[in-house]
Amino acid sequence: MKVTVFGTGYVGLVTGTCLADVGHDVLCVDIDQRKVDNLKNGIIPIFEPGLDTIVKQAVQNGMLNFTTDMDQAVAHGELQFIAVGTPSGEDGSADLQYVVAVAKTIGQRMNGYKVIINKSTVPIGTAEKVSAAVAQELQTRELGLMFDVVSNPEFLKEGAAVTDFMKPDRIVVGTDSEQAEKLLTELYAPFNRNHNRMIFMDVRSAELTKYAANAMLATKISFINEMANLAELLGADIEKVRNGIGADPRIGYHFIYPGCGYGGSCFPKDVKALIKIAKNVDYSADLMEAVDKVNQAQKSKLFNYIEKHFGTDLKGKTFAVWGLSFKPNADDMREAPSRVLMEALWAAGAKVQAYDPVAMEETQEIYGLREDLKLVGTKEAALEKADALVICTEWKNFRAPNFDLIKSSLVNPVIFDGRNLYEPERMQEAGFAYYAVGRGKSVKVF
Ligand SMILES: NC(=O)c1ccc[n+]([C@@H]2O[C@H](COP(=O)([O-])OP(=O)(O)OC[C@H]3O[C@@H](n4cnc5c(N)ncnc54)[C@H](O)[C@@H]3O)[C@@H](O)[C@H]2O)c1
């Protein structure tokens, strides 16, 4: 099938590439000329395991192409995906300007039936707004063409995006059009061979499903973080509590890892957007407000420990930071807890010596060259003459480090662990002051 995808970010590029990989003829369009030029030359703008190989294959097979030409983009696909950004506006609501711009682009150029599929995360009622924008453009052109607007939210996880798209838990489609339902069933058939994952519903329910999913996951994280904070005050160990509650299948082990807060391009903005969506219908989303509040406080946790240990004046101190991206296997720095930490350290006069397996380029882009930020090539180099080690992201190769080397490289044997990677007893034996999240009486200066 002929498919156009607007937006070549995490969602658009993965969607376009995976659809091309199963044999659809895909044209990806972006307004960012540099991104499109790079993609044409095989340079992938994001780090996503497995993505570069299938992009290259699909391009070679002629099934995946990139353009900035809007005429070509609209002419290409009967199916037109919208996968552009929906960032937080000033009041926390989702900014729909990019989504509406694509709707107008399509309305200004279409010459036959199109299914417009919204993959961006958008507030309830957006499909109606997209419909209205397209209809208005068609009216200006005095054309009475048929089209359908469908909601097809994306549930992929950065770091496992290709696998998630290829083997989805579910494919949610919101539509009241039989024709659109038929076309989407055909489009996704290659991903449904094992069993049917399609869940059809009305458009508004599909739009809310995406927010509900992210809100639930963010709630689980803030919940365990609140329990961790309590555990710390009560002399309990949250890791034992986590095991104790996770064993209950009604609760489960997923998404109850305590830590230094959630980040990324989705949870923070989607929780805020849901609060605003609720306000717009005169409902106070108290639970979501609390989830957001707990998370913001959690992001200061590591810095609070640092102040507790070293005092408030950190001038002349250098901190080794392991992990910058908001989660492992991704280079996304949007709302990453590491940013809150580094900015607080800089404000207190400290320097940062940081290492991340893939997010250092992105970090450099955000902060530019500055005296108090040194990005180094290995996790060991980050430790050299640093006053302490701070862990922000649970990359696999941080899990079993050489503790002797850490101790001999650091000026003080202190670790602030925002991801609970090590056992407090083991750290105590090794002579470290070890601060972790919610590990009860073990969290103290030894
Ligand atoms: N990143 C994720 O893990 C994830 C997962 C599920 C859903 N989502 C949602 O998907 C949407 C996209 O997220 P993302 O992370 O891929 O965004 P992104 O910021 O990485 O990419 C968006 C792209 O859209 C392009 N763009 C903007 N206006 C355009 C236009 N008029 N025509 C063509 N391209 C245009 C931008 O240049 C950019 O390359 C958001 O609504 C997000 O909430 C994201």
Side-chain angles (χ1 to χ4, degrees):
M1 296 171 90
K2 287 194 152 203
V3 180
T4 298
V5 181
F6 288 87
T8 57
Y10 280 88
V11 170
L13 186 59
V14 171
T15 301
T17 305
C18 293
L19 289 173
D21 191 56
V22 296
H24 296 302
D25 177 1
V26 180
L27 181 60
C28 285
V29 52
D30 207 289
I31 48 172
D32 186 334
Q33 185 72 52
R34 198 168 65 121
K35 226 181 213 182
V36 169
D37 289 343
N38 280 340
L39 282 163
K40 280 183 173 169
N41 292 320
I43 302 165
I44 314 294
I46 51 171
F47 173 81
E48 192 55 57
L51 184 63
D52 52 350
T53 315
I54 52 171
V55 168
K56 278 175 198 144
Q57 264 168 18
V59 168
Q60 252 170 26
N61 297 340
M63 301 316 283
L64 180 63
N65 287 288
F66 300 98
T67 188
T68 53
D69 182 336
M70 297 294 161
D71 292 339
Q72 197 193 343
V74 178
H76 180 80
E78 185 175 22
L79 303 172
Q80 304 258 317
F81 275 93
I82 304 180
V84 297
T86 49
S88 277
E90 260 169 39
D91 59 355
S93 62
D95 182 350
L96 289 179
Q97 61 167 308
Y98 306 104
V99 170
V100 173
V102 175
K104 286 185 177 164
T105 299
I106 297 171
Q108 284 157 2
R109 293 167 175 82
M110 62 190 267
N111 281 316
Y113 174 74
K114 302 278 178 197
V115 189
I116 300 162
I117 306 157
N118 211 341
K119 243 198 186 314
S120 299
T121 303
V122 290
I124 293 75
T126 300
E128 288 150 43
K129 282 193 182 139
V130 168
S131 258
V134 175
Q136 199 182 357
E137 295 301 332
L138 288 176
Q139 201 181 359
T140 310
R141 294 168 65 205
E142 296 180 1
L143 286 175
L145 298 173
M146 297 291 290
F147 67 93
D148 284 307
V149 179
V150 168
S151 166
N152 173 215
E154 182 49 59
F155 299 99
L156 62 75
K157 299 183 286 294
E158 286 180 23
V162 173
T163 318
D164 284 349
F165 197 96
M166 292 295 196
K167 292 182 185 154
D169 303 318
R170 75 292 209 192
I171 302 170
V172 170
V173 176
T175 182
D176 54 8
S177 152
E178 265 180 39
Q179 191 173 358
E181 183 171 328
K182 207 168 136 258
L183 286 167
L184 268 101
T185 304
E186 193 184 333
L187 178 82
Y188 282 121
F191 306 94
N192 282 307
R193 280 178 56 80
N194 178 268
H195 65 275
N196 188 20
R197 281 125 167 152
M198 307 284 295
I199 304 176
F200 286 99
M201 57 182 78
D202 62 280
V203 176
R204 284 182 163 247
S205 302
E207 288 172 337
L208 183 56
T209 299
K210 175 64 193 175
Y211 281 105
N214 276 359
M216 179 71 200
L217 295 171
T219 301
K220 286 185 96 173
I221 297 173
S222 279
F223 168 81
I224 200 72
N225 282 337
E226 184 149 287
M227 290 303 125
N229 295 339
L230 264 175
E232 212 163 289
L233 294 168
L234 298 170
D237 181 351
I238 193 63
E239 291 302 329
K240 302 214 166 70
V241 177
R242 184 175 71 78
N243 269 320
I245 61 170
D248 182 337
R250 292 171 303 174
I251 298 172
Y253 290 108
H254 291 298
F255 261 78
I256 52 166
Y257 288 102
C260 52
Y262 60 75
S265 69
C266 292
F267 292 176
K269 103 174 152 58
D270 292 348
V271 167
K272 285 191 183 77
L274 191 53
I275 292 168
K276 192 70 184 38
I277 288 166
K279 262 199 190 112
N280 289 344
V281 287
D282 293 329
Y283 182 81
S284 168
D286 299 343
L287 182 59
M288 291 303 103
E289 301 255 15
V291 166
D292 186 42
K293 193 172 159 207
V294 168
N295 191 57
Q296 291 197 26
Q298 205 68 15
K299 284 184 173 177
S300 300
K301 187 114 192 142
L302 287 170
F303 185 71
N304 293 344
Y305 282 151
I306 290 171
E307 276 195 324
K308 193 167 135 194
H309 188 93
F310 287 107
T312 48
D313 184 7
L314 300 177
K315 277 191 205 79
K317 297 252 178 297
T318 299
F319 290 86
V321 175
W322 280 5
L324 295 164
S325 56
F326 85 95
K327 67 189 272 193
N329 298 322
D331 62 353
D332 201 334
M333 289 291 291
R334 289 179 278 189
E335 308 256 2
S338 67
R339 293 176 67 167
V340 176
L341 169 82
M342 289 193 296
E343 286 165 23
L345 287 173
W346 292 329
K351 289 186 176 174
V352 169
Q353 220 161 254
Y355 167 73
D356 186 284
V358 298
M360 294 201 289
E361 217 175 292
E362 191 60 28
T363 308
Q364 193 81 80
E365 193 124 304
I366 294 165
Y367 292 113
L369 289 173
R370 44 186 300 162
E371 284 232 321
D372 47 11
L373 172 64
K374 194 165 150 201
L375 296 165
V376 295
T378 61
K379 65 180 194 295
E380 290 76 21
L383 301 167
E384 276 168 32
K385 298 201 181 91
D387 287 275
L389 166 64
V390 195
I391 300 170
C392 291
T393 319
E394 65 278 33
W395 282 94
K396 233 182 221 155
N397 82 340
F398 299 161
R399 291 187 196 170
N402 179 341
F403 289 112
D404 291 340
L405 182 82
I406 296 179
K407 208 170 165 195
S408 61
S409 305
L410 293 175
V411 177
N412 311 287
V414 191
I415 298 179
F416 300 94
D417 180 357
R419 298 295 171 187
N420 288 2
L421 296 185
Y422 316 128
E423 275 312 311
E425 292 78 21
R426 163 93 174 78
M427 300 313 291
Q428 187 173 17
E429 276 162 29
F432 283 96
Y434 178 63
Y435 293 81
V437 181
R439 308 221 60 183
K441 288 183 177 149
S442 55
V443 181
K444 63 180 182 215
V445 184
F446 298 111

